[in-house]
Amino acid sequence: MNRGGSSPSAAANYLLCTNCRKVLRKDKRIRVSQPLTRGPSAFIPEKEVVQANTLDERTNVLVEEYSTSGRLDNITQVMSLHTQYLESFLRSQFYMLRMDGPLPLPHRHYIAIMAAARHQCSYLINMHVDEFLKTGGIAEWLNGLEYVPQRLKNLNEINKLLAHRPWLITKEHIQKLVKTGENNWSLPELVHAVVLLAHYHALASFVFGSGINPERDPEISNGFRLISVNNFCVCDLANDNNIENASLTGNNFGIVDSLSELEALMDRMKRLREEREDEEASQEEMTTRFEKEKKESLFVVSGDTFHSFPHSDFEDDMIITSDVSRYIEDPGFGYEDFARRGEEHLPTFRAQDYTWENHGFSLVNRLYSDIGHLLDEKFRMVYNLTYNTMASHEDVDTTTLRRALFNYVHCMFGIRYDDYDYGEVNQLLERSLKVYIKTVTCYPERTTKRMYDSYWRQFKHSEKVHVNLLLMEARMQAELLYALRAITRHLT
């Protein structure tokens, strides 16, 4: 009998809340009030999203044409703040899930489940469990990976690497999957799977970054539902994930500071444009600035504003619930900074050596026809999307800001653009925004409402959703570049 402490099996029944540090029983369930007026996002007031949907009938037309669920879900409602982008998104997602392609329909949804599980994104898992069954999937597979064919199970390694450390993917990983044998993947099938994995890893970033609420449960009675606290602590009700706290931050808090913050950002954007016209930095200087930014990103710790312990301490606390962990292996494997201190230096991915436009696009289109065109349209749409506004200011050129956001994500994944001055990132992205970007991109399940509220306090919610769209697409493109480069190396 173990008198000195709890047994390992007893310890397995508990987890630690990473926010309030309270020990929670895994099997505990609590009743939580479910307001009937709750909107699609816990971060954005419902009226703003509803107003956008009411004003733009195009959203409903797009849902009728491209939604696989046949309803206006919460992701679509929030994305409809940018209808132009929404059309590109829904068209490409519909194509990879429903149109002719190498993979059977149920497999597509199961791969989406595996991808979402890497970030414990129960919203996407639940959505695709339903779709998996509707398209004829075998219900037994939903018991976990030990019930699925070996061929699908073999995607585990590439799912794990793509989600957290895509720079580690090599042609050997590709060769292992496509080698001859009964469980092998054809290259078109593998490209289809990789596109789905990258899409749903990135979409999990959008779901958490935008505070997407669970879909309304029609079976709730009296406005209450029983929920598990496995990934939920009561402190969430009083802290980050409750829209009622918006009044603490929004318009009543720090208005003077946030106004001066906005003016300062606009001044920096103007100064950068003028400096670029006056003189251009040398290639050596540009390289130095990239390396500096890459190393500085080490010190942008996810959640460091709200926790007094270093982020490595998180790792042991991240106990993943069984209903999610059944779809993945090695749940403790997560993002590690590309430029980790004291480790062997990894070669930087020079974007000019393998670009989406010149290399990735043609390969993906050749092996999985037309998806390249749809993805390319989506990448271009989000990168070029602008209303020439910043908060209350009009006629503003936001190109430098959009480029800094996109390139900062790629910098964290070790991708460098020779013609970009990374000094701009430091000039334009203040620390609270960098913390938010790193969290949403690398550890999306840790995103809180406080992080969302802490940056750009004078900006509209639609502008912050635009930031999330940029982060999502930059992340997806980074994952695809590493995977497609490995496939190209396998072919040559």
Side-chain angles (χ1 to χ4, degrees):
M1 188 166 167
N2 185 356
R3 296 182 176 216
S6 59
S7 67
S9 58
N13 293 324
Y14 295 88
L15 60 90
L16 197 62
C17 172
T18 55
N19 188 36
C20 70
R21 316 299 284 163
K22 187 181 292 181
V23 176
L24 305 166
R25 277 188 64 86
K26 277 192 184 180
D27 57 356
K28 185 179 175 187
R29 296 173 78 78
I30 56 174
R31 287 172 79 80
V32 177
S33 177
Q34 179 80 3
L36 297 176
T37 57
R38 196 178 186 191
S41 165
F43 298 173
I44 305 168
E46 184 178 10
K47 63 177 185 291
E48 289 203 27
V49 180
V50 171
Q51 190 177 19
N53 289 326
T54 308
L55 291 173
D56 200 330
E57 292 178 8
R58 178 83 183 123
T59 301
N60 293 321
V61 174
L62 290 172
V63 168
E64 284 174 25
E65 197 168 347
Y66 296 118
S67 170
T68 55
S69 65
R71 65 165 187 248
L72 183 62
D73 60 48
N74 289 345
I75 291 178
T76 307
Q77 287 190 65
V78 172
M79 280 189 188
S80 69
L81 291 166
H82 303 281
T83 319
Q84 274 180 290
Y85 169 82
L86 177 64
E87 180 163 5
S88 291
F89 173 85
L90 288 177
R91 283 178 65 211
S92 62
Q93 182 173 260
F94 186 78
Y95 187 88
M96 61 182 86
L97 290 175
R98 284 290 184 273
M99 301 295 281
D100 287 346
L103 294 174
L105 298 188
H107 284 59
R108 303 179 194 192
H109 292 290
Y110 201 87
I111 289 167
I113 292 167
M114 289 171 69
R118 287 298 335 168
H119 289 303
Q120 307 160 54
C121 186
S122 54
Y123 177 93
L124 290 174
I125 291 170
N126 292 338
M127 177 182 281
H128 287 282
V129 162
D130 289 347
E131 296 284 313
F132 172 76
L133 294 171
K134 280 181 198 165
T135 52
I138 298 166
E140 189 184 23
W141 292 11
L142 299 175
N143 291 328
L145 288 177
E146 61 267 36
Y147 296 88
V148 305
Q150 185 62 42
R151 196 160 162 276
L152 266 179
K153 211 182 294 184
N154 288 348
L155 282 180
N156 262 311
E157 186 71 8
I158 206 162
N159 180 26
K160 177 177 86 171
L161 294 177
L162 263 183
H164 307 296
R165 302 176 211 169
W167 53 86
L168 297 179
I169 294 173
T170 64
K171 68 177 183 181
E172 283 73 30
H173 291 109
I174 306 304
Q175 284 162 355
K176 199 172 169 185
L177 287 164
V178 301
K179 69 181 180 188
T180 53
E182 58 178 325
N183 298 316
N184 74 305
W185 288 76
S186 70
L187 277 175
E189 287 172 331
L190 184 57
V191 167
H192 193 170
V194 160
V195 168
L196 284 165
L197 291 171
H199 176 79
Y200 283 101
H201 295 152
L203 190 53
S205 284
F206 182 83
V207 167
F208 287 113
S210 304
I212 301 294
N213 276 327
E215 295 297 324
R216 185 81 55 81
D217 186 345
E219 295 174 12
I220 294 172
S221 60
N222 303 322
F224 285 87
R225 67 150 69 153
L226 278 176
I227 68 164
S228 166
V229 296
N230 288 339
N231 257 343
F232 180 95
C233 177
V234 209
C235 71
D236 282 344
L237 291 177
N239 283 332
D240 309 314
N241 302 323
N242 190 346
I243 192 66
E244 304 309 323
N245 283 316
S247 59
L248 296 176
T249 46
N251 295 330
N252 306 330
F253 180 76
I255 288 179
V256 176
D257 283 351
S258 56
L259 275 172
S260 57
E261 180 185 84
L262 171 64
E263 298 303 332
L265 175 59
M266 293 190 68
D267 282 346
R268 288 196 299 274
M269 286 168 67
K270 184 182 174 190
R271 196 169 64 247
L272 281 171
R273 275 196 300 274
E274 289 167 354
E275 285 172 4
R276 203 183 300 122
E277 286 166 12
D278 291 345
E279 59 173 311
E280 218 171 86
S282 67
Q283 273 301 318
E284 289 76 18
E285 180 61 24
M286 301 265 255
T287 304
T288 303
R289 288 175 188 175
F290 171 77
E291 292 300 330
K292 182 170 180 279
E293 193 55 53
K294 193 170 72 173
K295 285 187 175 64
E296 281 186 5
S297 74
L298 279 169
F299 301 99
V300 178
V301 177
S302 166
D304 67 350
T305 316
F306 317 112
H307 299 272
S308 57
F309 48 94
H311 107 232
S312 58
D313 289 355
F314 275 87
E315 313 298 337
D316 299 331
D317 300 339
M318 296 298 283
I319 300 172
I320 298 176
T321 58
S322 60
D323 57 332
V324 172
S325 63
R326 71 180 75 172
Y327 300 119
I328 54 173
E329 287 177 357
D330 197 2
F333 188 91
Y335 174 83
E336 282 187 357
D337 294 277
F338 180 81
R340 279 176 73 80
R341 285 156 284 187
E343 288 195 3
E344 190 180 325
H345 184 68
L346 284 160
T348 294
F349 186 126
R350 290 181 70 253
Q352 280 67 16
D353 295 341
Y354 195 93
T355 66
W356 165 255
E357 294 80 6
N358 298 332
H359 305 93
F361 169 79
S362 55
L363 176 68
V364 83
N365 239 19
R366 177 158 61 88
L367 292 170
Y368 178 20
S369 63
D370 290 337
I371 192 65
H373 290 294
L374 292 164
L375 293 176
D376 191 58
E377 180 194 322
K378 185 160 64 87
F379 293 148
R380 288 176 192 274
M381 173 64 70
V382 79
Y383 195 81
N384 297 319
L385 183 67
T386 183
Y387 306 95
N388 297 306
T389 60
M390 270 178 65
S392 55
H393 295 262
E394 296 184 350
D395 299 317
V396 183
D397 182 356
T398 59
T399 306
T400 53
L401 196 51
R402 284 178 276 127
R403 188 166 54 214
L405 289 162
F406 200 91
N407 288 357
Y408 185 56
V409 172
H410 280 198
C411 175
M412 287 187 296
F413 285 98
I415 298 171
R416 177 186 163 226
Y417 294 87
D418 287 350
D419 59 351
Y420 181 67
D421 179 359
Y422 286 86
E424 292 190 9
V425 167
N426 256 349
Q427 294 277 330
L428 298 174
L429 309 183
E430 35 94 10
R431 184 165 180 79
S432 61
L433 176 52
K434 282 184 170 181
V435 168
Y436 177 78
I437 292 169
K438 186 166 185 178
T439 307
V440 168
T441 307
C442 307
Y443 323 91
E445 59 277 13
R446 295 181 191 168
T447 312
T448 65
K449 186 174 187 301
R450 246 178 310 190
M451 288 182 198
Y452 174 89
D453 287 337
S454 70
Y455 82 94
W456 287 5
R457 283 170 292 171
Q458 281 298 304
F459 282 67
K460 303 183 195 87
H461 286 290
S462 62
E463 290 170 316
K464 291 192 170 191
V465 170
H466 188 182
V467 168
N468 287 337
L469 296 176
L470 275 162
L471 303 185
M472 171 173 75
E473 295 299 352
R475 178 182 178 181
M476 181 177 185
Q477 192 180 96
E479 289 191 24
L480 285 178
L481 284 171
Y482 278 110
L484 296 173
R485 183 181 68 168
I487 292 171
T488 298
R489 287 176 173 175
H490 161 72
L491 288 169
T492 51

